[in-house]
Amino acid sequence: MSFLNDEKKEKLKEFAKYVVKQLGIKNAPTIAVQNGRGELKTTANYDYTKENKIVKVNAHKRALVDVMRSLAHELVHHKQFEDGRLKVKPPDIGGEIEDEANAKAGQYIKMYAKIDNTIYDE
């Protein structure tokens, strides 16, 4: 998979709506799906320090379910920001904030697969 086709883009959009609802996000960030890493150091990023909240996710040569997991992880960080829990930059590895984002992202993938198990098809 080099990049998301229209069907996969629609699945990603529906998944994003699902996660936003599950998390109870009040003001959803902009979601930018990239065809390559660009300035990203990893597969995805959420910069809570900027006024315009944007989640950036690299989808180039990645399975849809992996893109979804990255998106869910960053949306958890956005919810943590909304709840006032991101006052200082958390560590990239480990710690309460990062561990929560990793765990919840995996949970949302499994929960959403009960709605649409084709997310694993590739």
Side-chain angles (χ1 to χ4, degrees), residues 53-91:
K53 306 300 182 238
I54 301 173
V55 169
K56 295 178 182 176
V57 183
N58 176 19
H60 183 70
K61 293 186 179 180
R62 295 179 69 205
L64 177 64
V65 70
D66 189 39
V67 175
M68 288 175 160
R69 191 211 58 79
S70 291
L71 175 59
H73 177 103
E74 300 306 332
L75 287 171
V76 171
H77 284 321
H78 180 72
K79 177 61 175 166
Q80 292 166 337
F81 170 78
E82 281 192 343
D83 291 348
R85 295 174 57 210
L86 289 181
K87 298 192 190 300
V88 296
K89 186 173 180 356

Side-chain angles (χ1 to χ4, degrees), residues 48 73 77 86 88-99 102:
Y48 63 91
H73 177 103
H77 284 321
L86 289 181
V88 296
K89 186 173 180 356
D92 285 338
I93 301 169
E96 177 188 346
I97 295 294
E98 197 62 17
D99 288 350
N102 284 325

